Amino acid sequence: MILLDCETTGGRASRDRITEIGLIEIKDGEVQSRWQSLINPGRPIPPWIHKITGIDDEMVADAPAFEDIAESLYQRLKNVILVAHNARFDYSFLKQEFKCAGYDYSAKTLCSVKLSRRLFPQHQGHSLDKIIQRHQIAVKDRHRAMADTEVILTYFTLIQQQIDAAVIQQTIADILKRPSLPSHLDNTLIQKLPEKPGIYQFYDEGGTLLYIGKSVNIKERVLSHFSADHRHHKELDISQQLHHIDWIETPSDFGAQLLENSYIKQTSPRYNRRQTKIKKLYQINKTLNKDGYAELDIMLADMRDASDITSKYGLFRSKKQAQTKLLDLISQYKLCQRLCHIEKKASGPCFSYQLKKCLGACCGKEQAKLYNLRVDMALTHIKNQQWPWSTPIIVEEQSPMNNGVDSHFHLIDQWCYLGQVDSHNTPNTRLLKQPQDSIFFDIDTYKILLRFLAPTKLSHFPYLRTHPLENSASVSMNSWG
């Protein structure tokens, strides 16, 4: 194994660089060699980093770049266990630096934070400063790479003096065979994670919600977060901040997808920014003019009228996206730019007609019947799915694997998810109490529901049963068979 510590220009491997490396090679319990080097990061070292480490721009000015020592360092680290305090941090920087130098580096890592937590569970803190204080380890140049590596070596020596060798070996073996869990996450919590569908929620030390995810196997998905190499700074940030996990089981992936989307929109977790609520959508609207020709125009969707949205064409997150799609249809189907409100000319032939890209609907050279047929052909693939039922529905979600999770009942109307209901909260009561202005069309919900409930899809999911809801009836879930 190799004990190692890196000093860096900051906390993100995707953005910052290594400034110093110190390592100690151990074989058969004996020190074989020591190596250390300052590294020129190719950028200024921030003042706050200099204050912590004592490393400044002048010190690294004549030091080698990482690329210069990459080959020899790669040979040192190849096929060894990498030991570091908060190993995920050092490993992510090494992996990124090697990648930039053209090497695909990977290694088993042993985190001394986790080892300390396992061997000394009675202690609260396991940072390097806490370990130094608790074991009265003498150290010079704290926050320099070799000095911190020597602390790890001294700590391993003290452990061997205090704890039976077989216990240490078994503990190390247990850590190495598991995914690299965040050092401040309680391992017993991981063991409690269900291998069932549902959502999981990551929280930081202060209880702030960091991230919401979903899976058909909660435990497997959560562990996959910790098995990654953290090429993206988001994964490393979450790992460093994660202190607690909650979860909610669902009968199937259907409920997990709805719940994840709903919770993200309600709570806006720090690392789910791409899935936040969209307040504006654009659509293509079709009308007939006084001469009987179809005209197309881009308009804002009425987010509080789902039935109106599904009667129009396309769902676009920006006006530019809608315009791009409309121009593609115009080009592919030789539609008139004036009748599609791209060319603002009030009357007469459009410019495309002169270029023979329009067949003359704008000047009566093409019959309205033929032009309108071509417009309908162009719009066929972006027609929104209209609501297939005449009333709101209850979707009874059963477990496809009989995994012991009770059935859930979902109230849905016009592709809008109105929440779960049960025998104590009848759907009609929920509908009556639901303020009309609180029902808001959500494109992500629409896409989820289409995947499961569209007329061509529903038969693929026998564990989902739909129950049309008559508004005049008082419905109890217990009455359904």
Side-chain angles (χ1 to χ4, degrees):
M1 63 173 60
I2 282 183
L3 314 184
L4 178 142
D5 184 74
C6 298
E7 302 301 330
T8 68
T9 62
R12 290 186 176 180
S14 60
R15 179 190 65 195
D16 298 304
R17 304 295 300 274
I18 292 175
T19 59
E20 188 179 40
I21 299 174
L23 63 84
I24 301 173
E25 183 182 3
I26 307 292
K27 188 175 182 180
D28 298 325
E30 299 292 331
V31 173
Q32 300 297 306
S33 64
R34 286 176 169 84
W35 179 87
Q36 63 178 320
S37 178
L38 288 166
I39 306 292
N40 189 330
R43 65 187 63 183
I45 296 174
W48 66 275
I49 290 289
H50 166 60
K51 188 174 181 180
I52 294 172
T53 66
I55 301 172
D56 59 23
D57 294 336
E58 185 178 352
M59 291 173 63
V60 299
D62 297 324
F66 188 89
E67 292 82 358
D68 299 330
I69 55 99
E71 171 63 23
S72 60
L73 184 60
Y74 183 83
Q75 294 302 323
R76 280 180 179 271
L77 299 181
K78 188 169 64 173
N79 300 323
V80 300
I81 296 171
L82 187 69
V83 182
H85 210 71
N86 195 7
R88 294 163 72 85
F89 178 86
D90 301 87
Y91 179 58
S92 65
F93 270 87
L94 285 172
K95 192 168 181 66
Q96 182 65 22
E97 291 278 13
F98 274 123
K99 181 181 178 182
C100 292
Y103 293 83
D104 184 15
Y105 171 68
S106 62
K108 279 190 175 183
T109 61
L110 174 62
C111 180
S112 50
V113 175
K114 294 176 189 172
L115 187 62
S116 178
R117 286 173 60 91
R118 295 288 298 276
L119 295 177
F120 302 99
Q122 70 274 24
H123 298 307
Q124 291 298 315
H126 299 272
S127 67
L128 207 56
D129 285 326
K130 289 287 187 182
I131 287 173
I132 290 170
Q133 180 183 7
R134 189 156 51 239
H135 296 277
Q136 298 180 338
I137 298 173
V139 57
K140 293 181 180 180
D141 297 325
R142 173 77 174 97
H143 292 298
R144 291 296 300 272
M146 182 54 77
D148 287 357
T149 306
E150 291 284 358
V151 170
I152 299 172
L153 177 61
T154 302
Y155 181 51
F156 270 61
T157 303
L158 291 171
I159 289 173
Q160 289 176 321
Q161 295 171 359
Q162 298 176 26
I163 297 177
D164 184 81
V167 174
I168 297 172
Q169 291 174 5
Q170 185 59 54
T171 303
I172 290 174
D174 288 345
I175 293 172
L176 290 175
K177 73 181 181 182
R178 288 194 177 102
S180 184
L181 303 179
S183 56
H184 31 260
L185 189 64
D186 188 353
N187 184 61
T188 59
L189 191 64
I190 297 296
Q191 301 308 313
K192 293 178 183 178
L193 289 170
E195 298 183 56
K196 297 176 182 178
I199 68 167
Y200 55 92
Q201 299 157 294
F202 289 167
Y203 294 89
D204 69 10
E205 187 174 13
T208 299
L209 184 58
L210 298 173
Y211 181 79
I212 295 176
K214 54 87 184 161
S215 178
V216 294
N217 186 319
I218 294 174
K219 186 173 186 176
E220 184 178 278
R221 180 68 184 98
V222 168
L223 289 175
S224 75
H225 283 276
F226 313 135
S227 300
D229 291 326
H230 304 301
R231 294 185 180 91
H232 302 292
H233 67 78
K234 184 180 88 169
E235 288 286 349
L236 182 59
D237 285 351
I238 291 174
S239 172
Q240 290 176 334
Q241 297 175 58
L242 178 59
H243 275 72
H244 182 69
I245 303 173
D246 275 343
W247 61 88
I248 301 173
E249 296 178 31
T250 60
S252 73
D253 188 39
F254 175 74
Q257 291 192 35
L258 286 176
L259 197 59
E260 179 201 38
N261 181 62
S262 178
Y263 270 40
I264 288 172
K265 300 294 166 62
Q266 293 173 27
T267 60
S268 299
R270 187 179 300 164
Y271 294 102
N272 289 102
R273 295 306 186 196
R274 291 185 179 179
Q275 294 164 269
T276 52
K277 191 173 183 178
I278 297 172
K279 296 182 179 179
K280 284 185 180 180
L281 288 172
Y282 292 84
Q283 297 189 274
I284 296 174
N285 186 40
K286 184 182 78 168
T287 57
L288 291 179
N289 65 18
K290 60 183 178 60
D291 298 317
Y293 287 92
E295 293 193 9
L296 302 181
D297 200 5
I298 295 169
M299 62 182 297
L300 267 173
D302 184 351
M303 303 294 279
R304 300 200 183 280
D305 190 348
S307 60
D308 182 66
I309 288 176
T310 55
S311 69
K312 295 183 173 62
Y313 302 87
L315 289 166
F316 306 97
R317 296 173 188 259
S318 69
K319 189 171 184 178
K320 183 177 180 180
Q321 190 183 58
Q323 288 172 334
T324 299
K325 183 61 178 180
L326 183 54
L327 287 170
D328 287 344
L329 296 177
I330 289 170
S331 174
Q332 184 178 353
Y333 292 91
K334 293 190 175 182
L335 304 182
C336 173
Q337 289 204 8
R338 182 168 71 78
L339 294 180
C340 292
H341 292 263
I342 297 296
E343 187 175 311
K344 302 305 180 183
K345 189 176 179 181
S347 61
C350 66
F351 183 67
S352 292
Y353 177 68
Q354 301 175 42
L355 300 177
K356 297 184 180 180
K357 293 181 179 180
C358 166
L359 301 183
C362 47
C363 54
K365 298 295 184 181
E366 182 182 17
Q367 294 180 16
K369 184 177 180 180
L370 293 177
Y371 178 76
N372 293 349
L373 180 61
R374 207 162 62 254
V375 169
D376 289 341
M377 290 173 61
L379 296 176
T380 297
H381 299 297
I382 61 169
K383 176 72 175 76
N384 295 321
Q385 175 67 55
Q386 291 191 301
W387 183 242
W389 294 273
S390 60
T391 67
I393 64 168
I394 298 293
V395 176
E396 181 181 358
E397 178 195 12
Q398 301 172 334
S399 169
M401 305 299 293
N402 294 317
N403 60 19
V405 179
D406 291 338
S407 295
H408 288 180
F409 302 95
H410 305 276
L411 179 58
I412 302 167
D413 187 26
Q414 296 292 338
W415 304 114
C416 293
Y417 181 58
L418 305 182
Q420 288 189 38
V421 291
D422 56 34
S423 58
H424 302 292
N425 182 9
T426 60
N428 278 313
T429 301
R430 170 67 73 89
L431 284 173
L432 290 172
K433 290 183 176 180
Q434 188 87 33
Q436 192 60 35
D437 61 359
S438 71
I439 301 175
F440 198 87
F441 183 86
D442 177 65
I443 186 172
D444 297 313
T445 299
Y446 173 68
K447 290 179 178 179
I448 292 169
L449 294 176
L450 277 183
R451 286 196 287 270
F452 290 92
L453 302 183
T456 57
K457 301 284 187 180
L458 186 56
S459 61
H460 299 162
F461 306 102
Y463 53 88
L464 299 178
R465 302 175 64 188
T466 60
H467 304 272
L469 178 65
E470 298 298 335
N471 289 334
S472 60
S474 179
V475 181
S476 169
M477 305 305 113
N478 293 336
S479 67
W480 297 341

